[in-house]
Structure formats: C-alpha cells, structure tokens
Amino acid sequence: MDRSDARARLDQLWARGTEFLGTRVAIMGGAMSWVSERHLVSAISNAGGFGVIACGSMNPALLEAEIAATQAMTRKPFGVNLITMHPQLDDLVRVTLAAGVGHVVLAGGLPPPAAIRAIKDGGAKLVCFTPALSLGKKLVRSGADALVIEGSEAGGHIGPVSLTVLAQEILPHLRDVPVFVAGGLARGDAILSYLEMGASGAQLGTRFVCAAESIAHPNFKRAFLRAAARDAVPTVQLDARFPVIPVRALVNEGTRKFLEHQAEVIKKFQSGELAKDAAQLDIEHFWAGSLRRAVIEGDVENGSVMAGQSVGMVTREQPTAEIIAELVDQAVDALVARAGAETLAPAG
Ligand SMILES: Cc1cc2nc3c(=O)[nH]c(=O)nc-3n(C[C@H](O)[C@H](O)[C@H](O)COP(=O)(O)O)c2cc1C
C-alpha cells in the first residue's frame, strides 16, 4: 500500500464523520472555554478539521458577535458548544441558529427537551456527550445526530471512565449515529485505531492549546509545554458529604490551596459556623473565574490550568494546519507500515 492508497483508506474509515461534519478530516477541535474562540476555531476549520466555539459563560450578544467574527475568518463549517446549565440556553440556541451555524454541541449534563427540539426544528445537527451506552441510546432516540464519548484522560470536566473502556463498551453497540472519540488523543495512529473499532472521528482539545493561532496566554502555553501526563490530575475531594466536580488540570498552587480551602470549610461546617448548603456553595465558588485567570491573564499558579493527560505529547507551538497534517500523516504512516508488515509476513 502506498501513501495515497493509505490516505484513501483513512478517508474511507472516517467517511461517516467527514460527511457529518462537512469537512476534509474528521477531527473536531473540542470546545475549550476562553481558548476556543474565533482564531483557533477558524484555524481548525480552515485546516480541514471542525472548529467548535466554546460559549462557556458568554451571554447571547457576546456569542452572536463571536459567531459573526468566526464566520468572517472562515467559510468552512464550524460548530458551537453550549453548556446545558446556562441560564440563557434557549436564547443562545436561538442566536446560534439565526446565524446559520449547522452543528450545535450540548455539553454538561442531560440536554433539556426544549433545546433539543429548537435545534432540530432550526435545521441544525445536534451533537451530545454520552458517558455510557444506555444513555447514548436514549440520546439518539431523543434526537442526537452524533455522539462524543470522552474518556477520563481528557482535560476539563471529566467522567470516571477511560476512553479505552468507553470505546469497547459503546462503539460495537451504537451504530445508528456517528460516534466521535475524545480524551487523551494526541497522535494520528491512536485515532486510527479507534476508527477501526467503529468510531467516525475524534475530538481533541489539549493538542490544540499550543497552536500558533490559539490566544491562550504564553504562560498557559509554557505550562503545557513543560508538563508531563502525570501532572494533569483530577480535582481531589476531601469529604464525601461535599462533592467536588472532577476537573482535570495541571497541579499548581491553586490545586493545593483548594485542598486547604475544603478543609477550612469542612471545619466551619463541623463547628456549626456554616450550614451544609452554604459550605457546599463556598467549595464550588473556589474555582469561579479561575480558567479565565489562567488562559487569559496568564496566572498559571493560582488559576485553573485545565489539561488532559496528552499534555505530555504537546512539545512545541505549531500552526494548527501543521498539527492536523501531522495527525493525518501519523495515521497514514501506520496504515502503510501495517500493509508492509503483512507483505513480509510468511504465508500460512
Ligand atoms: C482548557 C480546556 C477547557 C475546556 N473547556 C470545555 C468547555 O468549555 N466545554 C466542553 O464541552 N469541553 C471543554 N473541554 C473539553 C474539550 O472540549 C475536549 O473534549 C477535551 O479536551 C478532549 O480531551 P483531550 O484534552 O485529552 O484532547 C475543555 C478542555 C480543556 C483542555
């Protein structure tokens, strides 16, 4: 098999994904709050992938402006990621549909039926996350046009199960819609192996943070370039009575202070100084605004440096197009090498 045959094979393997996204390669840039704005999103789409704007806590007017700015930088398809808990979710959906965005990704919990209906009635494709097979099937019945399965290797908010296991549990049994794999992916040969298991494409976040077009602060990028896989750890919860949302981020002064903060709050709760609800809120508020502090202001010591375990494979700042070309080359190389090995193998 030569490289052009291998590329044709790769295109076959992710055909369902490229068709769904309307792209040349079935690689989605996972939405990252503060990072996935017009520059990175348009760069990913212009390079043949699928950029996704992270709405995060933007209000409808800001989102509308971000979509328009992105449309001015690319004529290729891109999506918008909305968090289901956002108090203005319906308005955000309306603004997204009015701007003609073709794909909406709903993240952060079960999507409300009204939002699903609005997205479908508006003619956009709906992408949802599923943490398990049963929920994935339910989401498809409710109208999801594609699913993302994200392993706990990922950066940001995470579930408890690795992509290795999720892929085995879900890919063989969920064939109705394209399924994109996410979490810990930084190489094309790894993406290829999931395509061969039945995935239609992949979503990567961490690998794109140090793209030249990413507006992340130089300190944030430097922290990524220095870090190893083991530095990207989930938040630690001190007390079962006060649950903590698991977020994978680089260990820093902030993560250490969070432990102290939890201990202090629990002490106040035990002494009767704080009621349970107030104590829970106090713990939850610790990280408010902290991703912005790290990504935009560059305070990587006290802010939240959300990163996946693949951070160890981010070794230099590179143009987005180069990152995507590298991922494709690695998948093609793997296919060529494998065909060579088959030719050399003795018959029988
Ligand atoms: C800095 C950062 C911020 C993120 N913010 C969001 C977000 O706002 N919404 C979301 O759905 N996922 C978010 N994610 C998850 C990514 O969209 C993507 O699914 C994940 O990064 C994939 O795993 P990987 O980091 O191992 O490539 C974030 C990830 C990172 C690293």
Side-chain angles (χ1 to χ4, degrees):
M1 187 187 280
D2 65 17
R3 292 189 67 78
S4 71
D5 291 339
R7 180 59 214 257
R9 175 73 188 131
L10 178 62
D11 285 342
Q12 238 173 27
L13 280 167
W14 64 21
R16 206 173 175 197
T18 52
E19 198 181 309
F20 175 77
L21 299 169
T23 54
R24 198 166 48 75
V25 303
I27 294 173
M28 299 171 73
M32 296 179 280
S33 291
W34 300 108
V35 183
S36 299
E37 47 71 79
R38 62 192 77 173
H39 296 91
L40 181 60
V41 172
S42 63
I44 292 172
S45 290
N46 284 334
F50 189 82
V52 181
I53 294 177
C55 172
S57 54
M58 279 184 210
N59 64 31
L62 278 178
L63 178 64
E64 191 174 23
E66 202 55 47
I67 294 172
T70 308
Q71 284 167 333
M73 295 175 80
T74 184
R75 310 183 91 182
K76 299 279 170 56
F78 64 86
V80 168
N81 175 304
L82 303 175
I83 311 281
T84 53
M85 280 99 72
H86 196 297
Q88 289 172 291
L89 180 63
D90 294 341
D91 290 334
L92 295 170
V93 168
R94 191 176 39 72
V95 159
T96 304
L97 296 173
V101 172
H103 298 69
V104 180
V105 184
L106 288 182
L110 260 190
I116 296 182
R117 211 169 318 117
I119 292 166
K120 308 287 288 186
D121 290 350
K125 289 174 178 150
L126 171 64
V127 184
C128 296
F129 285 81
T130 184
L133 179 62
S134 52
L135 189 59
K137 288 186 168 169
K138 185 169 179 277
L139 286 166
V140 172
R141 281 196 302 274
S142 309
D145 299 297
L147 295 173
V148 178
I149 56 172
E150 186 185 64
S152 54
E153 304 92 328
H157 292 81
I158 50 169
V161 184
S162 69
L163 179 59
T164 317
V165 171
L166 281 181
Q168 294 171 78
E169 281 187 359
I170 296 175
L171 292 177
H173 307 292
L174 214 159
R175 299 289 193 185
D176 321 355
V177 299
V179 179
F180 294 84
V181 286
L185 299 171
R187 290 187 54 95
D189 37 14
I191 294 173
L192 172 69
S193 68
Y194 286 108
L195 296 177
E196 288 175 328
M197 287 175 70
S200 295
Q203 167 163 301
L204 281 64
T206 297
R207 186 74 174 82
F208 286 116
V209 166
C210 293
E213 295 86 348
S214 149
I215 61 145
H217 193 283
N219 291 351
F220 196 82
K221 290 187 179 178
R222 255 193 304 275
F224 268 55
L225 299 180
R226 287 200 193 114
R230 64 168 66 185
D231 301 323
V233 300
T235 30
V236 177
Q237 173 182 312
L238 272 195
D239 189 316
R241 289 171 298 178
F242 297 102
V244 161
I245 298 168
V247 169
R248 188 178 295 283
L250 298 183
V251 175
N252 63 4
E253 195 51 32
T255 55
R256 281 183 285 273
K257 280 187 189 150
F258 184 51
L259 286 179
E260 287 170 19
H261 182 72
Q262 286 182 76
E264 279 165 24
V265 172
I266 291 163
K267 217 187 277 170
K268 283 186 191 165
F269 165 69
Q270 280 162 342
S271 70
E273 198 182 320
L274 268 182
K276 188 153 191 287
D277 290 357
Q280 179 69 42
L281 266 186
D282 202 334
I283 289 175
E284 282 168 15
H285 279 167
F286 180 88
W287 291 112
S290 62
L291 180 61
R292 184 184 186 284
R293 208 182 314 151
V295 174
I296 303 295
E297 293 167 19
D299 181 357
V300 292
E301 265 314 310
N302 299 294
S304 172
V305 188
M306 292 185 189
Q309 292 183 326
S310 61
V311 71
M313 288 178 272
V314 180
T315 53
R316 61 189 195 282
E317 192 172 37
Q318 285 174 285
T320 300
E322 197 178 295
I323 296 173
I324 290 187
E326 212 170 271
L327 294 167
V328 170
D329 278 350
Q330 287 161 347
V332 167
D333 285 348
L335 284 163
V336 170
R338 198 179 310 158
E342 275 163 18
T343 315
L344 291 175

mmCIF file of all heavy atoms in Angstrom, residues 1-3 5-7 9-10 13 187-196 326-342:
data_model
loop_
_atom_site.group_PDB
_atom_site.id
_atom_site.type_symbol
_atom_site.label_atom_id
_atom_site.label_comp_id
_atom_site.label_asym_id
_atom_site.label_seq_id
_atom_site.Cartn_x
_atom_site.Cartn_y
_atom_site.Cartn_z
ATOM 1 N N MET A 1 0.855 -1.201 0.000
ATOM 2 C CA MET A 1 0.000 0.000 0.000
ATOM 3 C C MET A 1 0.890 1.250 0.000
ATOM 4 O O MET A 1 1.745 1.403 0.874
ATOM 5 C CB MET A 1 -0.873 -0.011 1.273
ATOM 6 C CG MET A 1 -1.903 1.097 1.293
ATOM 7 S SD MET A 1 -2.793 1.230 2.861
ATOM 8 C CE MET A 1 -4.004 -0.059 2.752
ATOM 9 N N ASP A 2 0.689 2.136 -0.989
ATOM 10 C CA ASP A 2 1.469 3.380 -0.943
ATOM 11 C C ASP A 2 0.683 4.433 -0.143
ATOM 12 O O ASP A 2 -0.439 4.179 0.313
ATOM 13 C CB ASP A 2 1.844 3.865 -2.353
ATOM 14 C CG ASP A 2 0.610 4.246 -3.172
ATOM 15 O OD1 ASP A 2 -0.472 4.447 -2.583
ATOM 16 O OD2 ASP A 2 0.731 4.330 -4.406
ATOM 17 N N ARG A 3 1.309 5.617 -0.007
ATOM 18 C CA ARG A 3 0.698 6.626 0.876
ATOM 19 C C ARG A 3 -0.657 7.105 0.352
ATOM 20 O O ARG A 3 -1.555 7.395 1.131
ATOM 21 C CB ARG A 3 1.647 7.816 1.055
ATOM 22 C CG ARG A 3 2.888 7.451 1.848
ATOM 23 C CD ARG A 3 3.691 8.687 2.194
ATOM 24 N NE ARG A 3 2.998 9.560 3.133
ATOM 25 C CZ ARG A 3 2.928 9.340 4.445
ATOM 26 N NH1 ARG A 3 3.502 8.268 4.952
ATOM 27 N NH2 ARG A 3 2.286 10.165 5.224
ATOM 28 N N ASP A 5 -2.842 5.320 -1.353
ATOM 29 C CA ASP A 5 -3.816 4.262 -1.021
ATOM 30 C C ASP A 5 -4.181 4.340 0.472
ATOM 31 O O ASP A 5 -5.351 4.165 0.849
ATOM 32 C CB ASP A 5 -3.230 2.861 -1.278
ATOM 33 C CG ASP A 5 -3.035 2.602 -2.765
ATOM 34 O OD1 ASP A 5 -3.690 3.280 -3.567
ATOM 35 O OD2 ASP A 5 -2.205 1.736 -3.103
ATOM 36 N N ALA A 6 -3.138 4.578 1.275
ATOM 37 C CA ALA A 6 -3.380 4.634 2.725
ATOM 38 C C ALA A 6 -4.274 5.822 3.063
ATOM 39 O O ALA A 6 -5.185 5.717 3.891
ATOM 40 C CB ALA A 6 -2.047 4.734 3.474
ATOM 41 N N ARG A 7 -4.037 6.947 2.399
ATOM 42 C CA ARG A 7 -4.879 8.132 2.660
ATOM 43 C C ARG A 7 -6.321 7.847 2.234
ATOM 44 O O ARG A 7 -7.279 8.232 2.920
ATOM 45 C CB ARG A 7 -4.297 9.341 1.918
ATOM 46 C CG ARG A 7 -5.063 10.639 2.094
ATOM 47 C CD ARG A 7 -5.132 11.029 3.569
ATOM 48 N NE ARG A 7 -6.386 11.685 3.887
ATOM 49 C CZ ARG A 7 -6.554 12.986 4.067
ATOM 50 N NH1 ARG A 7 -5.526 13.787 4.001
ATOM 51 N NH2 ARG A 7 -7.739 13.472 4.345
ATOM 52 N N ARG A 9 -7.721 4.960 2.241
ATOM 53 C CA ARG A 9 -8.268 4.060 3.270
ATOM 54 C C ARG A 9 -8.722 4.852 4.508
ATOM 55 O O ARG A 9 -9.787 4.608 5.063
ATOM 56 C CB ARG A 9 -7.208 3.006 3.649
ATOM 57 C CG ARG A 9 -7.581 2.093 4.777
ATOM 58 C CD ARG A 9 -8.633 1.082 4.380
ATOM 59 N NE ARG A 9 -9.115 0.316 5.529
ATOM 60 C CZ ARG A 9 -10.391 0.126 5.819
ATOM 61 N NH1 ARG A 9 -11.338 0.624 5.035
ATOM 62 N NH2 ARG A 9 -10.746 -0.568 6.872
ATOM 63 N N LEU A 10 -7.889 5.818 4.897
ATOM 64 C CA LEU A 10 -8.238 6.661 6.047
ATOM 65 C C LEU A 10 -9.535 7.427 5.746
ATOM 66 O O LEU A 10 -10.436 7.506 6.589
ATOM 67 C CB LEU A 10 -7.099 7.641 6.352
ATOM 68 C CG LEU A 10 -7.318 8.631 7.495
ATOM 69 C CD1 LEU A 10 -7.519 7.912 8.829
ATOM 70 C CD2 LEU A 10 -6.143 9.613 7.610
ATOM 71 N N LEU A 13 -12.350 5.185 6.238
ATOM 72 C CA LEU A 13 -12.615 4.863 7.645
ATOM 73 C C LEU A 13 -13.388 5.980 8.353
ATOM 74 O O LEU A 13 -14.222 5.712 9.211
ATOM 75 C CB LEU A 13 -11.307 4.590 8.392
ATOM 76 C CG LEU A 13 -10.711 3.199 8.186
ATOM 77 C CD1 LEU A 13 -9.271 3.153 8.699
ATOM 78 C CD2 LEU A 13 -11.544 2.145 8.938
ATOM 79 N N ARG A 187 -2.134 11.632 18.849
ATOM 80 C CA ARG A 187 -1.451 11.079 17.670
ATOM 81 C C ARG A 187 -2.466 10.464 16.703
ATOM 82 O O ARG A 187 -3.473 9.896 17.109
ATOM 83 C CB ARG A 187 -0.437 10.011 18.094
ATOM 84 C CG ARG A 187 0.793 10.552 18.826
ATOM 85 C CD ARG A 187 1.804 9.442 19.049
ATOM 86 N NE ARG A 187 2.158 8.768 17.812
ATOM 87 C CZ ARG A 187 3.222 9.060 17.054
ATOM 88 N NH1 ARG A 187 4.061 9.995 17.435
ATOM 89 N NH2 ARG A 187 3.456 8.394 15.934
ATOM 90 N N GLY A 188 -2.103 10.533 15.423
ATOM 91 C CA GLY A 188 -2.981 10.011 14.386
ATOM 92 C C GLY A 188 -3.110 8.501 14.401
ATOM 93 O O GLY A 188 -4.167 7.952 14.053
ATOM 94 N N ASP A 189 -2.028 7.799 14.814
ATOM 95 C CA ASP A 189 -2.134 6.332 14.830
ATOM 96 C C ASP A 189 -3.128 5.866 15.895
ATOM 97 O O ASP A 189 -3.836 4.865 15.714
ATOM 98 C CB ASP A 189 -0.759 5.647 14.981
ATOM 99 C CG ASP A 189 0.185 6.395 15.904
ATOM 100 O OD1 ASP A 189 -0.299 7.294 16.646
ATOM 101 O OD2 ASP A 189 1.385 6.107 15.895
ATOM 102 N N ALA A 190 -3.196 6.620 16.999
ATOM 103 C CA ALA A 190 -4.173 6.281 18.046
ATOM 104 C C ALA A 190 -5.595 6.544 17.533
ATOM 105 O O ALA A 190 -6.506 5.733 17.743
ATOM 106 C CB ALA A 190 -3.908 7.095 19.306
ATOM 107 N N ILE A 191 -5.754 7.665 16.833
ATOM 108 C CA ILE A 191 -7.084 7.972 16.262
ATOM 109 C C ILE A 191 -7.483 6.851 15.306
ATOM 110 O O ILE A 191 -8.617 6.357 15.333
ATOM 111 C CB ILE A 191 -7.059 9.339 15.545
ATOM 112 C CG1 ILE A 191 -6.818 10.458 16.559
ATOM 113 C CG2 ILE A 191 -8.360 9.573 14.764
ATOM 114 C CD1 ILE A 191 -6.601 11.835 15.952
ATOM 115 N N LEU A 192 -6.534 6.424 14.472
ATOM 116 C CA LEU A 192 -6.799 5.350 13.508
ATOM 117 C C LEU A 192 -7.339 4.097 14.203
ATOM 118 O O LEU A 192 -8.293 3.469 13.725
ATOM 119 C CB LEU A 192 -5.496 5.016 12.754
ATOM 120 C CG LEU A 192 -5.535 3.786 11.850
ATOM 121 C CD1 LEU A 192 -6.425 4.033 10.632
ATOM 122 C CD2 LEU A 192 -4.125 3.401 11.390
ATOM 123 N N SER A 193 -6.749 3.758 15.341
ATOM 124 C CA SER A 193 -7.171 2.515 15.998
ATOM 125 C C SER A 193 -8.632 2.601 16.449
ATOM 126 O O SER A 193 -9.358 1.614 16.397
ATOM 127 C CB SER A 193 -6.241 2.158 17.167
ATOM 128 O OG SER A 193 -6.403 3.103 18.186
ATOM 129 N N TYR A 194 -9.056 3.800 16.854
ATOM 130 C CA TYR A 194 -10.471 3.948 17.248
ATOM 131 C C TYR A 194 -11.386 3.956 16.026
ATOM 132 O O TYR A 194 -12.517 3.472 16.087
ATOM 133 C CB TYR A 194 -10.671 5.207 18.099
ATOM 134 C CG TYR A 194 -10.137 5.019 19.502
ATOM 135 C CD1 TYR A 194 -8.974 5.667 19.919
ATOM 136 C CD2 TYR A 194 -10.770 4.163 20.392
ATOM 137 C CE1 TYR A 194 -8.471 5.466 21.196
ATOM 138 C CE2 TYR A 194 -10.280 3.962 21.674
ATOM 139 C CZ TYR A 194 -9.123 4.616 22.067
ATOM 140 O OH TYR A 194 -8.630 4.411 23.330
ATOM 141 N N LEU A 195 -10.902 4.491 14.899
ATOM 142 C CA LEU A 195 -11.714 4.443 13.671
ATOM 143 C C LEU A 195 -11.940 2.977 13.298
ATOM 144 O O LEU A 195 -13.031 2.584 12.885
ATOM 145 C CB LEU A 195 -11.007 5.162 12.514
ATOM 146 C CG LEU A 195 -10.761 6.667 12.666
ATOM 147 C CD1 LEU A 195 -9.982 7.195 11.455
ATOM 148 C CD2 LEU A 195 -12.072 7.431 12.812
ATOM 149 N N GLU A 196 -10.897 2.177 13.462
ATOM 150 C CA GLU A 196 -11.013 0.755 13.108
ATOM 151 C C GLU A 196 -11.963 0.012 14.038
ATOM 152 O O GLU A 196 -12.517 -1.025 13.676
ATOM 153 C CB GLU A 196 -9.624 0.113 13.088
ATOM 154 C CG GLU A 196 -8.838 0.610 11.878
ATOM 155 C CD GLU A 196 -7.410 0.125 11.830
ATOM 156 O OE1 GLU A 196 -6.814 -0.064 12.906
ATOM 157 O OE2 GLU A 196 -6.892 -0.053 10.718
ATOM 158 N N GLU A 326 0.040 16.624 10.730
ATOM 159 C CA GLU A 326 0.826 15.631 11.466
ATOM 160 C C GLU A 326 -0.055 14.453 11.893
ATOM 161 O O GLU A 326 0.340 13.290 11.772
ATOM 162 C CB GLU A 326 1.408 16.317 12.701
ATOM 163 C CG GLU A 326 2.745 15.798 13.142
ATOM 164 C CD GLU A 326 3.322 16.711 14.225
ATOM 165 O OE1 GLU A 326 4.009 17.676 13.872
ATOM 166 O OE2 GLU A 326 3.050 16.461 15.424
ATOM 167 N N LEU A 327 -1.263 14.779 12.377
ATOM 168 C CA LEU A 327 -2.189 13.717 12.816
ATOM 169 C C LEU A 327 -2.555 12.815 11.629
ATOM 170 O O LEU A 327 -2.565 11.580 11.749
ATOM 171 C CB LEU A 327 -3.459 14.327 13.425
ATOM 172 C CG LEU A 327 -3.272 15.103 14.740
ATOM 173 C CD1 LEU A 327 -4.530 15.909 15.070
ATOM 174 C CD2 LEU A 327 -2.936 14.151 15.884
ATOM 175 N N VAL A 328 -2.813 13.434 10.484
ATOM 176 C CA VAL A 328 -3.178 12.658 9.289
ATOM 177 C C VAL A 328 -1.977 11.807 8.858
ATOM 178 O O VAL A 328 -2.122 10.602 8.564
ATOM 179 C CB VAL A 328 -3.644 13.592 8.146
ATOM 180 C CG1 VAL A 328 -3.788 12.838 6.837
ATOM 181 C CG2 VAL A 328 -4.966 14.271 8.519
ATOM 182 N N ASP A 329 -0.784 12.411 8.840
ATOM 183 C CA ASP A 329 0.428 11.665 8.440
ATOM 184 C C ASP A 329 0.666 10.454 9.336
ATOM 185 O O ASP A 329 1.040 9.384 8.864
ATOM 186 C CB ASP A 329 1.665 12.572 8.523
ATOM 187 C CG ASP A 329 1.798 13.435 7.284
ATOM 188 O OD1 ASP A 329 1.050 13.194 6.306
ATOM 189 O OD2 ASP A 329 2.623 14.373 7.303
ATOM 190 N N GLN A 330 0.468 10.641 10.639
ATOM 191 C CA GLN A 330 0.701 9.523 11.574
ATOM 192 C C GLN A 330 -0.267 8.374 11.304
ATOM 193 O O GLN A 330 0.111 7.199 11.380
ATOM 194 C CB GLN A 330 0.572 10.015 13.024
ATOM 195 C CG GLN A 330 1.755 10.862 13.457
ATOM 196 C CD GLN A 330 1.455 11.725 14.685
ATOM 197 O OE1 GLN A 330 0.295 11.883 15.081
ATOM 198 N NE2 GLN A 330 2.493 12.266 15.290
ATOM 199 N N ALA A 331 -1.514 8.716 10.973
ATOM 200 C CA ALA A 331 -2.491 7.662 10.658
ATOM 201 C C ALA A 331 -2.104 6.963 9.357
ATOM 202 O O ALA A 331 -2.136 5.725 9.261
ATOM 203 C CB ALA A 331 -3.897 8.274 10.551
ATOM 204 N N VAL A 332 -1.695 7.755 8.371
ATOM 205 C CA VAL A 332 -1.300 7.191 7.073
ATOM 206 C C VAL A 332 -0.049 6.315 7.240
ATOM 207 O O VAL A 332 0.014 5.182 6.736
ATOM 208 C CB VAL A 332 -1.066 8.336 6.044
ATOM 209 C CG1 VAL A 332 -0.359 7.829 4.804
ATOM 210 C CG2 VAL A 332 -2.394 8.990 5.676
ATOM 211 N N ASP A 333 0.932 6.815 7.981
ATOM 212 C CA ASP A 333 2.168 6.029 8.234
ATOM 213 C C ASP A 333 1.817 4.680 8.854
ATOM 214 O O ASP A 333 2.396 3.654 8.498
ATOM 215 C CB ASP A 333 3.086 6.768 9.224
ATOM 216 C CG ASP A 333 3.802 7.947 8.579
ATOM 217 O OD1 ASP A 333 3.760 8.056 7.340
ATOM 218 O OD2 ASP A 333 4.371 8.769 9.335
ATOM 219 N N ALA A 334 0.900 4.696 9.808
ATOM 220 C CA ALA A 334 0.534 3.450 10.495
ATOM 221 C C ALA A 334 -0.090 2.463 9.513
ATOM 222 O O ALA A 334 0.202 1.256 9.550
ATOM 223 C CB ALA A 334 -0.430 3.740 11.640
ATOM 224 N N LEU A 335 -0.935 2.968 8.618
ATOM 225 C CA LEU A 335 -1.573 2.082 7.627
ATOM 226 C C LEU A 335 -0.521 1.517 6.667
ATOM 227 O O LEU A 335 -0.538 0.319 6.349
ATOM 228 C CB LEU A 335 -2.649 2.857 6.849
ATOM 229 C CG LEU A 335 -3.959 3.096 7.601
ATOM 230 C CD1 LEU A 335 -4.782 4.196 6.928
ATOM 231 C CD2 LEU A 335 -4.780 1.806 7.691
ATOM 232 N N VAL A 336 0.416 2.367 6.231
ATOM 233 C CA VAL A 336 1.464 1.915 5.299
ATOM 234 C C VAL A 336 2.348 0.862 5.983
ATOM 235 O O VAL A 336 2.642 -0.192 5.406
ATOM 236 C CB VAL A 336 2.323 3.119 4.812
ATOM 237 C CG1 VAL A 336 3.558 2.635 4.056
ATOM 238 C CG2 VAL A 336 1.489 4.057 3.961
ATOM 239 N N ALA A 337 2.746 1.150 7.224
ATOM 240 C CA ALA A 337 3.631 0.232 7.945
ATOM 241 C C ALA A 337 2.962 -1.125 8.129
ATOM 242 O O ALA A 337 3.586 -2.181 7.965
ATOM 243 C CB ALA A 337 3.987 0.818 9.311
ATOM 244 N N ARG A 338 1.683 -1.088 8.437
ATOM 245 C CA ARG A 338 0.956 -2.327 8.668
ATOM 246 C C ARG A 338 0.855 -3.146 7.374
ATOM 247 O O ARG A 338 1.054 -4.349 7.376
ATOM 248 C CB ARG A 338 -0.425 -2.017 9.194
ATOM 249 C CG ARG A 338 -1.046 -3.205 9.844
ATOM 250 C CD ARG A 338 -2.379 -2.861 10.375
ATOM 251 N NE ARG A 338 -2.382 -1.650 11.189
ATOM 252 C CZ ARG A 338 -3.479 -0.946 11.403
ATOM 253 N NH1 ARG A 338 -4.616 -1.300 10.854
ATOM 254 N NH2 ARG A 338 -3.437 0.113 12.175
ATOM 255 N N ALA A 339 0.589 -2.475 6.254
ATOM 256 C CA ALA A 339 0.488 -3.175 4.969
ATOM 257 C C ALA A 339 1.837 -3.794 4.624
ATOM 258 O O ALA A 339 1.902 -4.924 4.119
ATOM 259 C CB ALA A 339 0.039 -2.212 3.882
ATOM 260 N N GLY A 340 2.935 -3.067 4.940
ATOM 261 C CA GLY A 340 4.276 -3.591 4.696
ATOM 262 C C GLY A 340 4.516 -4.835 5.507
ATOM 263 O O GLY A 340 5.036 -5.846 5.013
ATOM 264 N N ALA A 341 4.098 -4.819 6.771
ATOM 265 C CA ALA A 341 4.292 -5.969 7.660
ATOM 266 C C ALA A 341 3.517 -7.175 7.148
ATOM 267 O O ALA A 341 3.989 -8.320 7.217
ATOM 268 C CB ALA A 341 3.845 -5.609 9.067
ATOM 269 N N GLU A 342 2.329 -6.899 6.604
ATOM 270 C CA GLU A 342 1.517 -8.017 6.070
ATOM 271 C C GLU A 342 2.203 -8.636 4.859
ATOM 272 O O GLU A 342 2.210 -9.852 4.685
ATOM 273 C CB GLU A 342 0.126 -7.508 5.665
ATOM 274 C CG GLU A 342 -0.834 -7.476 6.844
ATOM 275 C CD GLU A 342 -2.065 -6.614 6.579
ATOM 276 O OE1 GLU A 342 -2.355 -6.325 5.404
ATOM 277 O OE2 GLU A 342 -2.698 -6.228 7.577
#
